[in-house]
Amino acid sequence: MTADPGRGLVVGIDVGGTKVLGVETDDHGRVVRTARTATPGRTATPGEIEDALSRVLDEVADGRPVAAVGVSAAALVGPDGVVRFATHLPWREQPVHAQLEQRWQVPVALENDASCALLAEQAHGAARGVDDVVMITVGTGIGGAISIGGRLVRGRQGMAGELGHQQVVPQGLPCECGLRGCWEQYASGNALVRLVAHTRPDLTAGPDVTAAARAGDGSARQAFASVGEWLGVGTASLIAVLDPALVLVGGGVSEVGDLLLGPARVAMRRALYAGDHREVPPMVQATMGPHAGAIGAAWLATGLDRR
């Protein structure tokens, strides 16, 4: 299908492990209307996930004709629009793109959520005008996206950008993905909670640790210093491979700002190959916030960068 966004509304939808968020944006990427619902549990069927997306779409559209929909998914999305795997969703080798186009009868753009967040930052945010960018999303785990020459790096199977699952500690901590020593086990919201577990067992989630750190709690601040150091070490490896002009850090854990990014920048420079003989790219906080995935999906659908 091809879209004519001038004939109707373009909606961006972000589907993750806990919520489905839909947005309508203006030409500057500002959100003018939202709708959300809880993501059905892990035992939900693919049809129940589609139902949740459809409810959000209907609420944002509010009876207006829809020209195109962009969907940002926390999943491995193949170039054929088949979701190969999603940790928190029941999609396994699921032809999500084709199913949604058939259900909604409009063109659909489907992309990984971190890639959509990077598109939003390049279109409207901290990476505007920058072609070579690595984006690291630090939340419960670590996601990521790469743009080289102004184009997303998707890889042959559409699976590029799974930055959190590079191994940084051989035979290290077990990861939910089934491997050991993954980067996200040392630089994520889960890592924060683990680091403060002995001194502050009441801090049971990443946002709790963030609030405590902002309030001056020493254990929480030390946890952020440790996570920041690991973030910098892993980022140095990405810079050595990709040589980007900019490193963006987004996700919920990044909202604490320099408590995380300060130690990350120090560790990044220290661990970077030939760091004294190259221009070290700035590491900056993303600016599009928690709606970034949905905003990027809407932007993608507007141009319908067909896969």
Side-chain angles (χ1 to χ4, degrees):
M1 290 185 183
T2 58
D4 180 2
R7 296 182 58 189
L9 177 69
V10 175
V11 177
I13 300 176
D14 182 48
V15 53
T18 59
K19 73 177 185 304
V20 180
L21 170 71
V23 303
E24 174 190 355
T25 65
D26 64 15
D27 292 340
H28 302 287
R30 293 185 290 254
V31 174
V32 298
R33 186 179 177 90
T34 65
R36 70 181 64 212
T37 189
T39 304
R42 294 192 183 201
T43 60
T45 66
E48 288 172 325
I49 299 297
E50 286 185 27
D51 290 343
L53 268 65
S54 295
R55 288 196 298 273
V56 166
L57 174 60
D58 290 344
E59 187 174 342
V60 172
D62 194 26
R64 295 171 291 173
V66 174
V69 181
V71 177
S72 159
L76 296 176
V77 182
D80 53 0
V82 174
V83 173
R84 304 298 180 191
F85 178 78
T87 302
H88 303 292
L89 299 168
W91 287 333
R92 304 288 186 275
E93 305 298 331
Q94 193 78 20
V96 174
H97 179 266
Q99 290 171 337
L100 292 178
E101 283 203 332
Q102 181 177 10
R103 178 165 183 160
W104 295 334
Q105 290 298 295
V106 299
V108 173
L110 175 65
E111 187 55 82
N112 170 267
D113 56 347
S115 293
C116 285
L118 175 52
L119 289 173
E121 294 289 342
Q122 287 185 300
H124 307 292
R128 190 168 185 175
V130 184
D131 288 340
D132 301 313
V133 185
V134 172
M135 183 168 187
I136 305 163
T137 57
V138 187
T140 302
I142 289 181
I146 303 161
S147 174
I148 300 295
R151 296 184 64 85
L152 285 177
V153 176
R154 294 182 170 102
R156 185 176 67 85
Q157 300 179 77
M159 297 183 181
E162 291 299 320
L163 308 181
H165 298 286
Q166 59 174 322
Q167 187 185 64
V168 295
V169 179
Q171 298 305 310
L173 293 169
C175 182
E176 289 184 15
C177 74
L179 301 176
R180 301 185 71 93
C182 291
W183 189 24
E184 69 175 40
Q185 293 305 310
Y186 302 88
S188 65
N190 281 344
L192 282 173
V193 173
R194 188 183 67 250
L195 286 165
V196 300
H198 295 300
T199 56
R200 290 294 306 271
D202 55 313
L203 303 178
T204 58
D208 299 332
V209 185
T210 297
R214 283 175 168 161
D217 181 86
S219 296
R221 286 179 172 244
Q222 183 57 44
F224 268 104
S226 176
V227 166
E229 183 169 4
W230 276 109
L231 178 62
V233 168
T235 300
S237 296
L238 297 176
I239 295 170
V241 173
L242 297 168
D243 191 26
L246 178 67
V247 175
L248 273 183
V249 182
V253 175
S254 74
E255 293 175 4
V256 76
D258 280 348
L259 281 178
L260 174 72
L261 297 186
R265 293 183 185 111
V266 171
M268 179 183 76
R269 287 179 174 272
R270 186 176 63 240
L272 181 59
Y273 168 71
D276 292 335
H277 304 280
R278 66 193 301 162
E279 182 178 339
V280 179
M283 174 187 278
V284 304
Q285 188 173 357
T287 59
M288 297 302 290
H291 292 161
I295 293 169
W299 184 89
L300 189 62
T302 299
L304 259 141
D305 176 13
R306 306 306 289 141
R307 304 183 60 84

